[in-house]
Amino acid sequence: MDFGIFTFGELSRNITTGSALSPQQRLKEVIELAKLADQAGLSFLGLGEHHRRDFALSAPEIVLAAIARETTSLRLSTAVTVLSTQDPVRLFEQFATLDLISDGRAEIIAGRGAFVESYPLFGHSTEDYDGLFDEKLRMLLELRDNATLTWNGELTQSIPGMDIAPRPVQERLPVWVGVGGTPASFARAGRLGLPLFIALLSGPERFRRLVELYRHSAEEAGHDSATLQVGVGGHFYAAPTSQQARDTLYPHYRAYFEQNMPRPVDHFPRSTFDDWSEPGGGLLVGSPQQVTEKLLEIHQALGNSRYMAQIGLGGLPFAETARSIELLATEIMPAVNRGIGAA
């Protein structure tokens, strides 16, 4: 299994002091965490796209380009690109350029977006929420596969046989589909034969049948489902002991839920946090052994080939986030892969 990290670059206020990092500080921190992940041997970095004042990452492609020059091995992607409100041509050009800068390490994870502020910001209606994504995803795949494109758009522009340049280093720029829990989204990814990224915010059993639907849809469309990758990602924090992990993360996780979710909650209780951290829950917080056991449970249920840890949640200090990344790379990743090999 490949392991990586991702972040939305949220600017959570400390629940005691009321202070938060500035966008400049947060972006510098993200670049340093990427360098650490690269040095530790992780394989993937993803940056989310948001357009609110409580997030620093409205232009992840630019930050990824900066990270490309500071790293050597990390695959570099969005997590996710809100494709419904992007121009697919411009997006492809940006990632083709990133691929050239990074010597072939660029990827795109495209989704509809749980946060919807980009729709009015860029002149789109949420009434076209699914239609925009469907058409723009098909257009993006045509852009990837054709150096000259003719396209007749309904919700997108029409293109009369024009050059699509530059072309990336990779023959086919990887495009993943990011999904939450909507069956139609899993089925669409399968029909298109695209790798799948699941936002795993609850236990894996909820998604078992949806992954089966994805693979069944792929087979019906003539794709070999055995070759399709499934990645999962979710909230993560590891510390030497379970108690230390929970006590350290909770105030920051509470700040994240109360400030930075699509619909912030008034109060996020410790009891809910502890319930989610238990076996079967979707929150991977605990000792390396406990996190390893959860990751093996996820793999057994979903057959995923990639895990992406959402790190630094809710203003967690840099040193704590860095230590958690080190535990992921040095203890959890080897233990999970040993477990998979022994199964």
Side-chain angles (χ1 to χ4, degrees):
M1 189 189 300
D2 289 332
F3 283 78
I5 60 171
F6 74 102
T7 180
F8 296 160
E10 66 274 9
L11 302 169
S12 307
R13 300 183 308 278
N14 185 287
I15 59 175
T16 301
T17 66
S19 63
L21 292 179
S22 69
Q24 183 182 34
Q25 291 170 316
R26 189 71 163 106
L27 291 176
K28 288 182 177 180
E29 182 179 272
V30 166
I31 293 170
E32 290 303 312
L33 290 171
K35 291 164 62 177
L36 175 64
D38 189 53
Q39 293 161 7
L42 297 179
S43 62
F44 177 88
L45 170 79
L47 302 182
E49 175 197 347
H50 294 85
H51 301 271
R52 298 188 342 190
R53 69 178 63 185
D54 54 329
F55 292 93
L57 288 167
S58 64
E61 302 86 356
I62 293 175
V63 185
L64 289 169
I67 290 170
R69 305 309 299 165
E70 298 287 340
T71 58
T72 59
S73 301
L74 281 178
R75 306 288 300 174
L76 303 171
S77 178
T78 47
V80 301
T81 288
V82 185
L83 182 57
S84 304
T85 57
Q86 290 263 12
D87 178 343
V89 177
R90 193 69 180 127
L91 179 70
F92 180 82
E93 291 175 341
Q94 289 168 337
F95 273 85
T97 303
L98 175 63
D99 204 54
L100 295 171
I101 292 171
S102 66
D103 296 324
R105 291 187 281 137
E107 299 185 4
I108 298 171
I109 301 178
R112 296 182 300 177
F115 293 71
V116 296
E117 72 278 352
S118 63
Y119 286 79
L121 186 63
F122 296 114
H124 298 287
S125 171
T126 53
E127 293 180 1
D128 297 321
Y129 183 75
D130 190 66
L132 280 165
F133 180 74
D134 186 74
E135 183 171 331
K136 290 188 176 187
L137 179 58
R138 289 185 286 109
M139 185 181 187
L140 178 62
L141 297 178
E142 289 293 320
L143 289 159
R144 179 185 70 174
D145 296 340
N146 297 280
T148 302
L149 182 65
T150 297
W151 178 262
N152 295 314
E154 296 181 6
L155 297 173
T156 61
Q157 69 271 38
S158 294
I159 301 175
M162 299 183 70
D163 290 340
I164 306 301
R167 305 306 296 177
V169 172
Q170 298 175 87
E171 183 176 350
R172 299 187 85 205
L173 192 70
V175 175
W176 297 61
V177 176
V179 296
T182 306
S185 296
F186 284 79
R188 171 167 45 211
R191 287 194 304 272
L192 293 172
L194 295 175
L196 188 74
F197 169 59
I198 304 169
L200 198 71
L201 299 182
S202 61
E205 285 303 318
R206 173 175 175 245
F207 294 92
R208 186 192 292 267
R209 291 187 178 233
L210 292 170
V211 171
E212 291 173 356
L213 171 63
Y214 163 69
R215 297 198 180 279
H216 177 71
S217 300
E219 293 286 351
E220 283 196 326
H223 304 292
D224 181 0
S225 66
T227 66
L228 296 181
Q229 294 189 74
V230 173
V232 303
H235 300 161
F236 170 91
Y237 178 68
T241 69
S242 173
Q243 195 64 48
Q244 181 182 345
R246 293 190 186 191
D247 289 346
T248 299
L249 182 62
Y250 170 67
H252 304 285
Y253 202 67
R254 175 186 165 189
Y256 182 75
F257 265 79
E258 293 177 4
Q259 298 172 35
N260 306 118
M261 294 296 283
R263 298 177 185 84
V265 301
D266 290 333
H267 176 66
F268 184 78
R270 176 67 187 255
S271 58
T272 300
F273 173 82
D274 287 333
D275 287 345
W276 291 1
S277 303
E278 293 295 324
L283 178 55
L284 271 68
V285 56
S287 67
Q289 180 179 347
Q290 289 172 314
V291 172
T292 296
E293 290 169 356
K294 277 196 169 184
L295 285 168
L296 289 171
E297 175 190 353
I298 291 168
H299 177 74
Q300 184 176 21
L302 306 180
N304 57 299
S305 57
R306 176 182 280 183
Y307 175 73
M308 295 170 274
Q310 187 174 353
I311 48 89
L313 289 157
L316 186 73
F318 179 89
E320 297 292 346
T321 304
R323 176 58 177 155
S324 185
I325 291 172
E326 289 173 358
L327 290 173
L328 176 64
T330 61
E331 297 191 27
I332 296 168
M333 180 172 66
V336 168
N337 283 324
R338 285 195 302 269
I340 292 172

